[in-house]
Amino acid sequence: MFELRTYRPKVKTIENFPLRGFFLCPQCGQKLTGSKCKGRSKYYYYYHCDKECKWRINSEVANKVFKEHLNKFKPLAEVKKLYTAVLLEGYREHTGVIASEKKKSLEQIAVYEKKLSVARNLLVTEKIDAEDYNLMKIEYNAVISKLEKDIGNVEDDRASIEQLTTTGLENLIKLGDAFDGATLADCRELIGLIFPENFTFQENKIRTARINEMVNCIYLVNNRLRAKKNGTKDDIFLLSRVVTSTGFKPVTS
């Protein structure tokens, strides 16, 4: 789940390279650095590559394109309840799958515990020797431990999911203001939250391999809503299928 803390406007030092460290050269794939050069009447700022390709782009242009790209992930405030319904519906469907997997694991544990009990009875009745019993015990206990670990790794946060969804949506609606009004450190934290992998610049557009799972869901819903121009009950279930199909995992964008 996407947890973007509330950013309060602060007086900040002008920073021309908030994307530095996240921004890859589109020609050679190396991380871009940033520097300024003096013109006739002022300084100009560029993201540029230190490698042989020497690719560069004006930082004002790149920062503007990035902000425009960022705004694609803002929920439409007038239909905030629809986003909440879609995300919760998608989450319920996804956790239904998880519940089914947990049930299967518990059934398998019961099977292996029964096998262990049978082996113990065979040992008592001297139908198998202690060495064979110990081998079966080690094997069955290993399987049981793995299944128990798999169950423990499945998070069950249904109690808090609605509050997290509401908070996340409220903060995403303020996405542009957060980026413009935050300190450099907060700006970079925001970029890292939304983009778990570095991005590049191609054909005047930001290109990235992955984005945060909740943010991507918002983007998918935005596209469907803009295409339909309205939101009905049927739309909610249709859109929830879009959300569920991502599996609440980072996806390619």
Side-chain angles (χ1 to χ4, degrees):
M1 183 55 64
F2 183 78
E3 295 182 73
L4 172 61
R5 59 190 178 85
T6 303
Y7 289 92
R8 298 178 181 177
K10 302 174 183 178
V11 177
K12 64 172 185 174
T13 303
I14 296 175
E15 170 58 48
N16 296 284
F17 308 112
L19 309 182
R20 183 163 47 189
F22 302 101
F23 203 172
L24 300 180
C25 174
Q27 292 188 10
C28 68
Q30 298 296 318
K31 285 185 180 180
L32 298 176
T33 186
S35 61
K36 64 180 180 179
C37 62
K38 189 173 183 180
R40 291 184 178 180
S41 58
K42 65 176 184 178
Y43 283 100
Y44 294 89
Y45 298 85
Y46 292 91
Y47 293 104
H48 63 89
C49 186
D50 282 337
K51 303 301 179 182
E52 292 181 2
C53 69
K54 301 298 181 183
W55 187 87
R56 72 175 187 172
I57 183 172
N58 184 282
S59 67
E60 288 186 18
V61 173
N63 293 341
K64 180 181 178 182
V65 171
F66 179 79
K67 290 176 186 178
E68 290 172 353
H69 182 69
L70 203 62
N71 283 330
K72 294 178 182 178
F73 307 115
K74 289 176 59 175
L76 304 175
E78 61 271 23
V79 285
K80 184 172 65 176
K81 289 183 179 180
L82 177 60
Y83 289 99
T84 302
V86 169
L87 290 169
L88 290 176
E89 181 66 22
Y91 179 81
R92 290 189 185 102
E93 289 195 21
H94 178 63
T95 51
V97 174
I98 290 176
S100 176
E101 292 175 350
K102 288 175 69 174
K103 182 180 178 182
K104 289 179 181 178
S105 295
L106 289 170
E107 290 173 350
Q108 286 181 298
I109 288 173
V111 169
Y112 279 93
E113 286 179 339
K114 185 176 180 180
K115 286 184 177 182
L116 191 57
S117 177
V118 171
R120 192 178 301 112
N121 289 333
L122 291 174
L123 176 66
V124 171
T125 57
E126 298 184 348
K127 292 182 179 179
I128 60 173
D129 57 30
E131 184 178 354
D132 288 338
Y133 170 73
N134 286 331
L135 289 174
M136 286 187 284
K137 181 180 178 182
I138 291 171
E139 178 185 350
Y140 297 157
N141 280 334
V143 174
I144 290 170
S145 295
K146 182 181 183 304
L147 290 169
E148 289 175 341
K149 184 178 179 181
D150 290 343
I151 292 174
N153 287 337
V154 176
E155 296 182 2
D156 187 4
D157 55 357
R158 296 184 187 184
S160 61
I161 188 66
E162 188 167 357
Q163 179 60 39
L164 286 173
T165 300
T166 301
T167 302
L169 287 171
E170 289 286 353
N171 287 326
L172 281 170
I173 289 172
K174 304 170 186 175
L175 193 56
D177 294 336
F179 187 77
D180 287 332
T183 63
L184 175 61
D186 284 345
C187 239
R188 294 178 63 79
E189 181 183 1
L190 177 61
I191 295 170
L193 282 170
I194 296 177
F195 301 102
E197 293 184 359
N198 293 327
F199 47 81
T200 188
F201 190 87
Q202 292 178 345
E203 299 178 355
N204 295 322
K205 293 181 180 179
I206 296 293
R207 302 294 184 188
T208 181
R210 291 196 300 142
I211 58 175
N212 177 280
E213 58 197 58
M214 180 176 176
V215 175
N216 187 71
C217 290
I218 296 298
Y219 177 70
L220 294 173
V221 173
N222 280 353
N223 288 344
R224 290 296 183 96
L225 287 178
R226 290 190 179 103
K228 287 180 171 294
K229 303 294 185 182
N230 59 19
T232 64
K233 185 176 180 180
D234 290 338
D235 291 334
I236 291 177
F237 295 104
L238 181 63
L239 292 170
S240 71
R241 291 290 189 276
V242 175
V243 173
T244 307
S245 68
T246 70
F248 280 87
K249 297 177 181 179
V251 297
T252 299
S253 174

